[in-house]
């Protein structure tokens, strides 16, 4: 790991921009959803719009975004288990026969790629009191350790731009899961109040012939928000998969280059 450097200021700046954008996007989406659910609130905000209202709206959006970010982290940790669940299972799975079939791994399907990544892992696991059979890669803590080491190595090598972009996209999806889940709950709670939605989904969907009241309209809103939440759950899983594939692929490439460089150096010294 000689000659490895990292521009800490550039990294922190990028991370800060990603985090700020995620907070603002989630907060603005949530504020827009609440305005859709509550017509009176929407009218209050946009009628006679002033600088004071604008500043208050910006502050509300930012605070809401930060709260949703934390709720998203809690949901992922306690309910969906996407981030930790996937990084702790990255090298799990079995290969059948002579690499003629895909692995049982949910992330890495190519058995040759999985075998190469496991060879890289073997070098890091030497010296640990862990059996050297294939079952050691079924251990969650082993996979979690390798994930942490790979993140650090790729980061200090300065090759983490794509990785951090995908991490930011995952964080965005996670926060939007919380956003639309909360909106779905609020739309259902509105059933027990006199709150009127500002959008008539029944009419938009062509169901006005049924003479829908506000109740089915609120139910439709809740369903739409719930579907959006499910969409971002699926997107978060797909983004996390790509994040892990690029992280492990980048680590493998860096290790190969380092080994090749060391080999040339040793030959030159002979």
């Amino acid at each position: 790991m000689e000659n490895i450097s990292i521009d800490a200021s550039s990294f922190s700046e990028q991370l800060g921009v990603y985090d700020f954008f995620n907070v603002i996007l989630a907060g603005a989406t949530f504020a827009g959803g609440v305005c859709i659910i509550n017509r009176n609130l929407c009218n209050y905000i946009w009628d006679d719009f002033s600088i004071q209202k604008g500043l208050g709206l910006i502050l509300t959006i930012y605070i809401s975004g930060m709260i949703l970010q934390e709720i998203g982290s809690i949901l992922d940790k306690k309910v969906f288990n996407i981030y930790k669940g996937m990084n702790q299972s990255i090298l799990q799975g079995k290969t059948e026969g002579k690499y003629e079939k895909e692995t049982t791994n949910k992330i890495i399907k190519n058995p040759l790629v999985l075998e190469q990544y496991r060879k890289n892992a073997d070098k890091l696991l030497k010296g640990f009191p862990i059996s050297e059979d294939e079952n050691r890669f079924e251990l969650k803590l082993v996979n979690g350790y390798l994930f942490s080491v790979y993140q650090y190595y790729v980061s200090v090598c300065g090759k983490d731009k794509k990785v951090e972009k995908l991490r930011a996209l995952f964080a965005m999806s996670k926060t939007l899961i919380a956003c639309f889940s909360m909106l779905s709950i609020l739309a259902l709670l509105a059933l027990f109040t006199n709150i009127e939605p500002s959008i008539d989904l029944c009419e938009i969907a062509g169901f006005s012939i049924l003479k829908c009241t506000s109740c089915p309209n609120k139910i439709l809103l809740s369903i739409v928000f719930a579907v959006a939440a499910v969409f971002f759950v699926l997107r978060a899983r797909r983004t996390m998969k790509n994040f892990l594939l690029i992280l492990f692929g980048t680590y493998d490439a860096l290790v190969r280059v380092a080994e090749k460089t060391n080999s040339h150096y040793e030959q030159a010294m002979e």
Side-chain angles (χ1 to χ4, degrees), residues 30-44:
F30 183 75
V34 171
C35 286
I36 290 174
I37 295 172
N38 192 332
R39 178 183 296 173
N40 293 332
L41 179 61
C42 182
N43 293 336
Y44 171 76

Side-chain angles (χ1 to χ4, degrees), residues 53-66:
K53 283 186 178 181
L55 293 175
L57 181 60
I58 293 173
L59 182 61
T60 301
I61 286 174
Y62 186 72
I63 294 176
S64 299
M66 289 193 296

Side-chain angles (χ1 to χ4, degrees), residues 46-168:
W46 298 111
D47 289 351
D48 299 324
F49 193 78
S50 62
I51 296 178
Q52 290 82 356
K53 283 186 178 181
L55 293 175
L57 181 60
I58 293 173
L59 182 61
T60 301
I61 286 174
Y62 186 72
I63 294 176
S64 299
M66 289 193 296
I67 294 173
L68 289 170
Q69 197 174 53
E70 295 303 317
I71 294 175
S73 297
I74 294 172
L75 285 176
D76 181 46
K77 184 177 181 180
K78 301 295 185 180
V79 180
F80 301 109
N81 194 31
I82 299 173
Y83 186 83
K84 195 171 183 179
M86 293 183 74
N87 73 56
Q88 289 189 344
S89 63
I90 180 66
L91 294 181
Q92 290 180 358
K94 297 180 179 180
T95 57
E96 300 181 7
K98 299 180 179 179
Y99 306 116
E100 296 174 351
K101 296 182 180 180
E102 290 185 343
T103 70
T104 59
N105 189 295
K106 296 180 180 180
I107 301 171
I108 305 171
K109 291 300 181 181
N110 190 316
L112 294 174
V113 174
L114 181 60
E115 188 65 27
Q116 175 59 37
Y117 291 172
R118 285 179 172 178
K119 288 180 180 179
N120 292 336
D122 286 334
K123 300 172 184 177
L124 294 174
L125 296 175
K126 286 183 179 179
F128 286 89
I130 304 173
S131 61
E132 296 186 0
D133 57 17
E134 189 173 295
N135 289 331
R136 68 190 181 282
F137 294 115
E138 299 297 320
L139 301 175
K140 293 182 179 180
L141 293 181
V142 169
N143 285 286
Y145 166 74
L146 295 170
F147 172 71
S148 299
V149 172
Y150 288 8
Q151 280 191 107
Y152 174 77
Y153 188 83
V154 170
S155 178
V156 298
C157 287
K159 301 297 181 181
D160 61 339
K161 288 185 177 181
K162 289 184 179 180
V163 172
E164 290 306 319
K165 286 180 180 179
L166 286 169
R167 187 198 300 277

Side-chain angles (χ1 to χ4, degrees), residues 86 231 233-243:
M86 293 183 74
F231 169 81
V233 170
L234 298 176
R235 180 173 175 79
R237 293 186 184 278
R238 185 173 67 253
T239 303
M240 187 62 189
K241 177 181 177 179
N242 293 334
F243 167 72

